[in-house]
Amino acid sequence: MNLPNDDYILLSLINTKLRDEFYSLDSLCESLDVSLKDICSRLSSLGYEYCAVRNAFVPR
């Protein structure tokens, strides 16, 4: 899957997919063949981090 270039759109896309389709960030990355490190790095630059309990990227 090609990830959006805009990090805010990426945040929205990833959180929507986590809410609707995937039980974890690992399963999303594996299924879509995207880099976990890349997603976390890009969203961290916006001030978000992954919360496994909520299965979403949340503000730090």
Side-chain angles (χ1 to χ4, degrees):
M1 170 182 209
N2 290 329
L3 297 177
N5 291 328
D6 184 288
D7 290 343
Y8 287 102
I9 293 174
L10 176 65
L11 172 64
S12 178
L13 173 73
I14 295 298
N15 274 344
T16 298
K17 288 195 171 290
L18 287 170
R19 183 190 67 223
D20 296 343
E21 301 175 37
F22 296 96
Y23 62 90
S24 73
L25 182 58
D26 288 330
S27 67
L28 178 146
C29 290
E30 189 174 310
S31 178
L32 300 179
D33 194 30
V34 295
S35 167
L36 174 77
K37 184 177 178 180
D38 183 40
I39 289 172
C40 289
S41 174
R42 288 178 59 187
L43 298 183
S44 177
S45 72
L46 297 177
Y48 286 81
E49 63 185 12
Y50 180 68
C51 174
V53 173
R54 294 180 60 191
N55 192 34
F57 279 88
V58 296
R60 278 184 260 164

